[in-house]
Amino acid sequence: MESHNPAFVKSFSNEVKMLTKICHRNIIKLHGFCLHNRCMFLVYQYMEKGSLFYVLNNDAEAKEFNWSMRVNVIKGVACALSYMHHDCIPPIIHRDVTSTNVLLNSQLEAIVSDFGTARLLDPDSSNQTLVAGAYGYIAPELAYTMNVTEKCDVYSFGVVALETLMGRHPRELISSLSNSTTQNMLLNDLLDTRLPFPNFQKDVQDIMFVKYSISMFVF
């Protein structure tokens, strides 16, 4: 049983510890938990729209998920990570920022969840750890240095931001551009073809800002 597995118990306890220290509109709220020899569970606020991954991979949902909503989701995730990295003492590193761990409420606002692999960043330690995170979202340097910093979350955020704009995981795009510059990347290369090209100036400006930011985060 999971409750008898030390690794699961540690992950569970870690998530409870993280969430009791956090209070932010873009981070999941913990309402309660149970840790028993036969079961363990967390009680969160209900997220009506499910995960960002689900919305992006459901054609009907994705077509309703317009550019303004997508940019707001990206901003929401950025605000959550900024709070964790700069406003929490000591800083909290999520370590598993993915589209499945970004939930959406009824207003399609981003709520960061799943802190099972999170850790408090001790500035006096080496912060070395076993690799934690999902394939396709892990910062390349983590695999080599095993050194956990805020930059690991920032890289994962960049991947999620790309995924939100493209409507799919950007692994091919990242691979093709890893040795080149994103300055020559066409806006069309970043946009989900299930939506019409943005025709509002604000949407275009916001998407271009995200594109510029991603060029610093991922490449």
Side-chain angles (χ1 to χ4, degrees):
M1 295 178 63
E2 289 185 358
S3 58
H4 294 156
N5 185 324
F8 281 107
V9 172
K10 181 178 180 180
S11 178
F12 178 90
S13 300
N14 217 23
E15 185 149 5
V16 171
K17 183 178 181 180
M18 296 300 111
L19 291 171
T20 56
K21 294 177 178 290
I22 293 174
C23 182
H24 191 277
R25 64 174 295 171
N26 297 112
I27 296 177
I28 195 77
K29 290 180 176 62
L30 178 67
H31 291 316
F33 67 93
C34 174
L35 179 56
H36 189 268
N37 59 2
R38 292 190 176 182
C39 65
M40 56 184 181
F41 58 85
L42 300 168
V43 181
Y44 296 121
Q45 65 185 123
Y46 178 62
M47 293 291 107
E48 294 86 350
K49 291 295 185 178
S51 70
L52 175 61
F53 177 86
Y54 166 78
V55 171
L56 293 176
N57 286 275
N58 181 297
D59 285 344
E61 297 279 357
K63 289 175 182 177
E64 297 297 321
F65 193 27
N66 63 37
W67 297 121
S68 177
M69 293 174 180
R70 296 188 188 210
V71 169
N72 284 338
V73 164
I74 294 170
K75 289 179 180 178
V77 177
C79 287
L81 294 178
S82 177
Y83 168 82
M84 292 167 58
H85 295 170
H86 303 293
D87 296 331
C88 292
I89 301 175
I92 297 174
I93 309 303
H94 189 288
R95 300 205 299 170
D96 196 18
V97 179
T98 68
S99 59
T100 57
N101 289 337
V102 175
L103 305 181
L104 304 175
N105 63 18
S106 60
Q107 304 302 312
L108 286 172
E109 296 172 324
I111 308 294
V112 176
S113 70
D114 196 350
F115 288 76
T117 60
R119 64 178 289 159
L120 298 172
L121 186 60
D122 182 356
D124 297 322
S125 74
S126 66
N127 297 312
Q128 290 189 338
T129 183
L130 294 175
V131 174
Y135 177 76
Y137 297 88
I138 301 174
E141 63 268 23
L142 179 58
Y144 296 105
T145 67
M146 305 295 285
N147 190 37
V148 177
T149 70
E150 296 96 331
K151 292 180 181 180
C152 298
D153 281 352
V154 172
Y155 178 92
S156 300
F157 163 73
V159 176
V160 170
L162 271 174
E163 186 175 358
T164 304
L165 293 181
M166 296 177 68
R168 65 186 189 281
H169 192 282
R171 56 180 54 87
E172 292 86 2
L173 180 62
I174 293 175
S175 176
S176 66
L177 296 176
S178 59
N179 296 318
S180 60
T181 175
T182 58
Q183 298 304 314
N184 297 323
M185 186 193 305
L186 296 177
L187 190 58
N188 279 339
D189 295 331
L190 288 179
L191 300 184
D192 191 339
T193 57
R194 292 172 294 184
L195 291 183
F197 193 85
N199 55 5
F200 292 106
Q201 184 177 2
K202 183 179 185 305
D203 287 342
V204 174
Q205 290 175 338
D206 286 343
I207 291 170
M208 290 300 295
F209 178 76
V210 172
K211 172 181 176 292
Y212 172 75
S213 301
I214 290 171
S215 70
M216 296 187 295
F217 294 154
V218 179
F219 303 102

